[in-house]
Amino acid sequence: MSAVQRIRGGIGADEEYWLAIERGEFRISRCRHCKSWMWPANFRCGKCGSWDIDWEPVEPIGTIYTWTRNHAVSEALAERQADLPYVTLLVELPQAGGARVAGVLEGDETALKIGAQVRGRILPPSDKAKGYGSVVWSIESDAA
Amino acid sequence: MTRSMRGSAAIVGIGQTPYYKRGTSPDAEMKLALRAIVSACDDAGIDPRDVDGFVSYGSEHNTGQKLVPGLGTRELRFGALAWTHGGGIPAAVGIAAAAIHAGQADVVAVYRAMAEGSNQRLRVAVTQNDTPAQFLVNGIDMVMQRSAMRSRRMIEVDGVPAETLETIARVSYYHAQNNSGAVGHGRMLTHEQYAGSRFISEPYHLFDCSRENDGAAALILVSADRARDLKQKPAYVLSVPMGAGADGGSREDNHEPYTSVGMIGLAKRMWAESGYGPADVDVAQIYENFTGMAVQSIIDHGFCTAQTAGDFVTFDNLIAPSGSLPINTSGGNIADGFIHGMGSMVEAVRQIRGTSTNQVPGAKLSMMAGGPGDSMTSTGLFGAFETL
């Protein structure tokens, strides 16, 4: 996996997140000292000043914080062109301090709305995810 | 405010090339930059060789040092770049004003030049290097989808009516009809056209999105003292705060409050430093990369709240000359042309001069909000002499 060209847009503190995904684990970073959840990942906890970061396993369950249905993508996402239209989400993770992760929705869209509960499924690295492992989300069937 | 540069510098020259469809500029990007700056100097009655400071924002490639030979600059004394994209426009004006205020430069050009053929900005500069893995891995490409998601929550959770997005688009096209240089001139946007246009990223239709042009625009700033002796009616820089709050900055959409476009704290600083408030503003250019972000910018600035947005963000209220807050009076990024919002800054100056094609009669206080949703952004208030 180290052969994958890493995306440079962020600050570069999230490598452990992607390595965990490749092992089939969903982990979010957390300050070892003050226990604040840190997302996006950082090198230093801005709340307490600690440099010690833990990557804690988190169950990939959350709620849809917001979403869009994409009908167009630029060349930067040419590998998604055939999937249009597709839905992307921000998923809020209450069990990780309300961290919001980005993701693609798969499966039935009937119950798609802000607040709906979603569950993540980890996918191995793929061309579609630019050589990265990723988490895709599906809406949990309504228990009621 | 014990320390302030309020009113110490003024915009005395404006210059612009025509807008070209992206990728079709007859000139290289550097030539566009030179044309806009020279035009702004002519407008001000200043010799281009006397420009001694250069400020831009975002991914501007045409640095001051590259402009020196073409302008015949006598001495380059100051150069800087505001650290953000469209959010950096009033900030760039602020850097120029600060340099003048501090005696580091006398004549400063603030400018933006874009030619897709020369710099391939969309394809290379932004999408490849600025978008974090979290988004690109998950099918989200730069700002559009992220803005769409923000506007979705603004509508569904904050309760802002979805119709406000259409209002921004239609106001822009309405104003473009009087502006013969506007990309949208001669093409009025009707409700039916808007509603019938395809979705790009829901809730955004085609007409909710700005589309980049090739072109360049420039301002010339000098000290307030010097401004009095020049050709044009000066637009004084009253307040141009830049920044981000404690829960802002680059957080990959984990900023708070989420639906804010980062202007709440900036607006408070601007009203405090300038001594004016939202009700005093005669006319505003509200940077709209996407209509929903402009609606939230209006809310962040305190012109209305999420609860009252449906009453405030209406066609009649936002058009010149009769609305209580005419916005985007040249047609804005959406219907005038989009060179990263710099055209809106030029229009903000025209309103103070009285030379807009959609002039607000007697406009004295003219606002320009920078790019909404940038992780650092800026906003600005400019005024005629009477506002000092």
Side-chain angles (χ1 to χ4, degrees):
Chain A
M1 266 325 296
S2 53
V4 170
Q5 179 69 47
R6 290 303 191 184
I7 295 163
R8 298 169 56 199
I11 65 169
D14 59 354
E15 189 61 15
E16 289 298 325
Y17 174 81
W18 301 110
L19 292 173
I21 295 276
E22 285 170 21
R23 295 193 302 267
E25 302 162 4
F26 185 55
R27 292 176 180 264
I28 298 291
S29 57
R30 190 174 196 180
C31 174
R32 188 176 299 165
H33 181 67
C34 76
K35 301 296 180 190
S36 298
W37 292 93
M38 296 168 63
W39 190 257
N42 211 308
F43 299 107
R44 180 176 180 272
C45 175
K47 291 200 169 69
C48 78
S50 170
W51 297 86
D52 297 322
I53 313 298
D54 289 324
W55 286 87
E56 294 211 6
V58 170
E59 193 177 1
I61 293 178
T63 57
I64 295 178
Y65 191 75
T66 186
W67 61 275
T68 182
R69 185 177 287 108
N70 303 282
H71 296 264
V73 289
S74 80
E75 288 172 44
L77 286 173
E79 61 278 354
R80 299 272 180 183
Q81 191 75 36
D83 295 345
L84 292 172
Y86 62 90
V87 172
T88 50
L89 313 169
L90 282 183
V91 177
E92 184 175 31
L93 305 170
Q95 70 278 30
R100 298 192 285 263
V101 296
V104 175
L105 182 72
E106 64 175 357
D108 187 6
E109 297 179 6
T110 320
L112 173 60
K113 62 173 187 180
I114 289 174
Q117 190 167 110
V118 287
R119 176 177 290 274
R121 180 170 74 94
I122 294 178
L123 298 183
S126 68
D127 290 343
K128 192 164 283 186
K130 298 195 176 293
Y132 283 59
S134 61
V135 186
V136 292
W137 302 84
S138 57
I139 298 171
E140 298 264 77
S141 56
D142 196 321
Chain B
M1 266 290 158
T2 51
R3 287 179 298 143
S4 172
M5 58 180 184
R6 182 187 189 279
S8 64
I11 300 162
V12 296
I14 53 179
Q16 215 172 336
T17 70
Y19 293 112
Y20 305 103
K21 191 172 157 59
R22 196 176 81 216
T24 69
S25 169
D27 296 327
E29 196 176 77
M30 172 59 70
K31 186 172 179 184
L32 293 174
L34 288 166
R35 283 174 62 189
I37 292 169
V38 169
S39 164
C41 288
D42 290 347
D43 177 67
I46 284 177
D47 186 333
R49 292 176 295 183
D50 290 335
V51 177
D52 59 359
F54 298 90
V55 183
S56 189
Y57 54 95
S59 50
E60 179 63 49
H61 293 174
N62 306 288
T63 58
Q65 58 269 40
K66 288 181 185 166
L67 289 159
V68 162
L71 291 175
T73 307
R74 298 181 206 276
E75 184 181 19
L76 172 56
R77 298 177 63 204
F78 186 84
L81 192 70
W83 273 345
T84 182
H85 299 286
I89 301 171
V93 174
I95 292 169
I100 292 165
H101 186 62
Q104 303 305 300
D106 290 326
V107 182
V108 182
V110 175
Y111 59 97
R112 189 83 177 94
M114 302 177 22
E116 175 84 358
S118 295
N119 86 2
Q120 303 193 324
R121 176 192 167 268
L122 263 184
R123 281 189 281 159
V124 179
V126 170
T127 47
Q128 298 295 316
N129 291 333
D130 278 6
T131 309
Q134 167 171 219
F135 297 115
L136 283 177
V137 167
N138 292 302
I140 298 172
D141 164 17
M142 29 174 220
V143 252
M144 184 171 66
Q145 289 101 326
R146 294 167 63 188
S147 298
M149 289 195 284
R150 201 180 312 208
S151 294
R152 160 89 53 201
R153 195 168 167 96
M154 176 187 82
I155 293 166
E156 292 193 8
V157 177
D158 297 351
V160 174
E163 295 74 28
T164 56
L165 277 60
E166 175 180 344
T167 296
I168 300 289
R170 290 187 55 216
V171 163
S172 299
Y173 273 87
Y174 175 81
H175 286 145
Q177 302 321 304
N178 286 336
N179 176 4
S180 61
V183 169
H185 180 71
R187 292 193 291 134
M188 189 67 174
L189 177 64
T190 65
H191 165 73
E192 289 69 25
Q193 285 171 322
Y194 174 90
S197 69
R198 62 191 168 94
F199 275 123
I200 301 293
S201 185
E202 297 176 34
Y204 294 157
H205 291 260
L206 176 67
F207 289 106
D208 291 304
C209 307
S210 58
R211 283 151 290 174
E212 290 186 323
N213 292 103
D214 288 356
L219 314 172
I220 298 293
L221 281 89
V222 299
S223 71
D225 284 346
R226 184 162 177 184
R228 278 195 284 273
D229 303 325
L230 293 170
K231 275 165 64 177
Q232 307 291 348
K233 183 178 177 185
Y236 293 91
V237 180
L238 297 175
S239 181
V240 279
M242 71 166 114
D247 294 314
S250 296
R251 291 180 190 270
E252 299 181 11
D253 293 355
N254 280 259
H255 60 274
E256 298 293 346
Y258 170 74
T259 48
S260 163
V261 292
M263 301 285 195
I264 298 171
L266 296 179
K268 283 182 185 155
R269 285 163 57 195
M270 182 168 76
W271 305 134
E273 185 180 22
S274 67
Y276 294 105
D280 301 317
V281 176
D282 294 313
V283 56
Q285 310 306 318
I286 307 289
Y287 188 118
E288 79 299 28
N289 40 6
F290 307 100
T291 55
M293 301 295 272
V295 172
Q296 186 63 46
S297 179
I298 289 169
I299 294 169
D300 273 13
H301 278 87
F303 290 109
C304 64
T305 65
Q307 289 70 38
T308 62
D311 296 325
F312 189 85
V313 182
T314 64
F315 185 81
D316 288 344
N317 197 40
L318 300 183
I319 58 167
S322 52
S324 81
L325 183 72
I327 68 162
N328 301 355
T329 47
S330 66
N333 294 331
I334 285 180
D336 183 9
F338 186 34
I339 42 175
H340 291 166
M342 199 58 196
S344 298
M345 189 59 242
V346 172
E347 174 68 5
V349 174
R350 283 192 210 105
Q351 284 287 353
I352 290 171
R353 293 182 177 186
T355 59
S356 168
T357 53
N358 289 285
Q359 183 61 41
V360 174
K364 291 181 179 60
L365 269 185
S366 179
M367 200 189 100
M368 158 72 194
D374 266 355
S375 52
M376 179 171 82
T377 185
S378 62
T379 188
L381 191 64
F382 308 90
F385 181 77
E386 303 93 300
T387 66
L388 290 174

